[in-house]
Amino acid sequence: MLQKLLRLAFVILATLGLHTVVLAQAAPPAAEQAAPGAVVLSFENEAQLDALAAKGKTVVFFFASWCPNCRATVTELNARWSEVNPDLTLVIADYDKEAALKSKYGVTYQDTFVLLDSKAQGVKSWNSGGVDGLNANTAS
């Protein structure tokens, strides 16, 4: 659990451009290593999204560091990460830097989530909602 929260915090901080943060990477307990759970990653490129979407349920979150709603969403995700659908991969994209990705998915507002199908096409999008919105919009 701690490892997942540290990973989420690191991804958010990296997205904010705070690359100098160093997190101690202690190995989590054996029980935690075996337990499935949601994953959070930084957006790298569309090939990454293609591969992730082909493997399973993937959502892109368009985050802006200046956005108070985005910061509130991240705070809630950190606090309630254990409640997120364990089959989900959340990919955080920088709203200000990923113009082509925003265009591809029709995103015009920060704090937007986009659910992808297995071919990385956007099938649903929504704004805000935190953990409850994430789970409700990704339920099978």
Side-chain angles (χ1 to χ4, degrees):
M1 172 69 153
L2 178 60
Q3 185 75 7
K4 291 175 190 170
L5 290 176
L6 288 173
R7 188 178 316 125
L8 179 61
F10 178 77
V11 168
I12 297 303
L13 291 172
T15 302
L16 292 172
L18 302 175
H19 301 286
T20 58
V21 174
V22 178
L23 298 175
Q25 294 293 323
E32 186 173 319
Q33 290 176 354
V39 175
V40 63
L41 302 168
S42 289
F43 173 75
E44 295 173 14
N45 54 51
E46 289 194 41
Q48 171 204 33
L49 290 183
D50 292 344
L52 292 169
K55 289 181 184 177
K57 198 172 292 186
T58 303
V59 172
V60 180
F61 174 51
F62 288 86
F63 174 85
S65 60
W66 49 265
C67 167
N69 290 345
C70 296
R71 291 193 308 264
T73 296
V74 168
T75 298
E76 181 186 351
L77 289 172
N78 274 314
R80 299 181 56 202
W81 188 249
S82 65
E83 299 173 43
V84 173
N85 176 346
D87 299 327
L88 183 74
T89 298
L90 181 65
V91 179
I92 299 175
D94 187 314
Y95 178 83
D96 295 315
K97 293 180 182 175
E98 302 303 339
L101 195 64
K102 288 190 309 190
S103 178
K104 176 179 180 175
Y105 295 126
V107 172
T108 59
Y109 185 79
Q110 68 281 356
D111 200 27
T112 297
F113 293 86
V114 179
L115 175 64
L116 307 182
D117 67 11
S118 63
K119 299 194 184 300
Q121 298 301 307
V123 294
K124 183 188 273 188
S125 65
W126 67 96
N127 298 99
S128 301
V131 170
D132 293 334
L134 189 58
N135 287 336
N137 284 289
T138 60
S140 298

